[in-house]
Structures are given as C-alpha cells and as structure tokens.
Amino acid sequence: MGVIVRLNVDMKSIGEVAARFGLPTHALRHWEAEGLLTPARAGDRRRYTDEDLYRVAAILISKEAGFGLPDIRTMLTARSAPARHEVMARHRERLLARIARAQAALDMLEGGLECPHDDIMTCPHFQGFLTDRLRPSPETNSAQPDG
C-alpha cells in the first residue's frame, strides 16, 4: 500500500495573506524576521495557516493601539500572564490618554458644527471649550517650580 500525502489546502500563500489584510508582502516577511510570525514552509514558499491569520490580525490591532514590534513580540510570545500584562498595562495607559485627546477633539468639532456664529471665536460654546483647555492640568501644576 502506498503512502498518501495530503497537502493542506487550507494553507495560504504570502500573497493571499497580504491581499486579505491589504498589506504588502514585505510587511509579512519583516514580521517573520522580527519573530512575530512563523509560517510553515513548502520548499522555499511560506504557507500560512488560520492560526497565522489570527496572529496577523493581532499584530495589526496591536499596531493600531500604538504597540511597537518589540512589544507586540513580547505580548504574543510571553510565557506568563504577568509578563504579558506588564506590556499591555503600559500600553493601556497610553491608549486611554490618546482616546481622551481624541474625544476632546471630537467634542470641539461637534460644538463647532452646532455653532451658528460666522466667527467661531465669538461663539460662547467654543469659548467655553477654549476656557476648559486653558485651565492648568494637574500634571502642569505638579511640573511648575514653587516660587
């Protein structure tokens, strides 16, 4: 009886994976070189499994959250929850600050869109927004030398 070799037809080429995520193929090669991906090989060709697709999605979401590749690698390869949590907690704080700045910008835009004044600088609502921005923050106060 002969040996039956079955190729995994669910595996995808680098071009298919790149197209699926709207990436250039060199990005996937770079992530492999950085230790973020380890696709299987069929000869000299990379073959990606569904598990690899999940890793690509995790890398993209992490990049959108502001992670650099070294921290993404640490997060994806951490052998303990505390090691992973340390990296994630640090980025959580940065992301919360970015969200707060984006929300303030959105509030300003929405207020400006509701303003009927020709000169936005004369709008009481916009002036209130600017007054809030001019208030010293706790971080600014703590950074000021005592005089």
Side-chain angles (χ1 to χ4, degrees), residues 8-14 16-17 20-21 37-41 46-57:
N8 187 341
V9 294
D10 293 335
M11 297 182 93
K12 293 158 187 60
S13 71
I14 191 169
E16 290 171 320
V17 174
R20 165 77 172 80
F21 290 99
L37 295 171
T38 54
R41 298 285 180 151
R46 292 167 177 86
R47 302 303 295 170
Y48 294 84
T49 63
D50 287 342
E51 183 179 324
D52 293 317
L53 297 181
Y54 277 93
R55 284 184 78 87
V56 171

Side-chain angles (χ1 to χ4, degrees), residues 17-107:
V17 174
R20 165 77 172 80
F21 290 99
L23 295 168
T25 55
H26 70 83
L28 297 172
R29 287 186 196 97
H30 179 66
W31 294 347
E32 181 181 355
E34 292 292 320
L36 300 171
L37 295 171
T38 54
R41 298 285 180 151
D44 62 344
R45 296 187 180 266
R46 292 167 177 86
R47 302 303 295 170
Y48 294 84
T49 63
D50 287 342
E51 183 179 324
D52 293 317
L53 297 181
Y54 277 93
R55 284 184 78 87
V56 171
I59 292 165
L60 290 171
I61 290 170
S62 298
K63 286 175 64 60
E64 289 168 4
F67 282 70
L69 295 183
D71 282 341
I72 295 171
R73 181 178 47 252
T74 299
M75 183 182 71
L76 295 178
T77 62
R79 296 291 179 226
S80 69
R84 183 181 64 251
H85 292 170
E86 179 184 336
V87 172
M88 294 179 91
R90 185 173 60 245
H91 283 281
R92 180 182 184 273
E93 294 306 314
R94 291 180 192 156
L95 183 57
L96 287 171
R98 280 182 31 213
I99 289 169
R101 289 190 303 272
Q103 185 61 55
L106 182 60
D107 292 346

Side-chain angles (χ1 to χ4, degrees), residues 100-132:
R101 289 190 303 272
Q103 185 61 55
L106 182 60
D107 292 346
M108 185 275 301
L109 290 172
E110 288 175 349
L113 289 170
E114 295 172 4
C115 174
H117 295 81
D118 289 333
D119 180 357
I120 196 166
M121 294 302 291
T122 63
C123 174
H125 180 75
F126 191 72
Q127 286 290 324
F129 178 79
L130 297 176
T131 299
D132 288 345

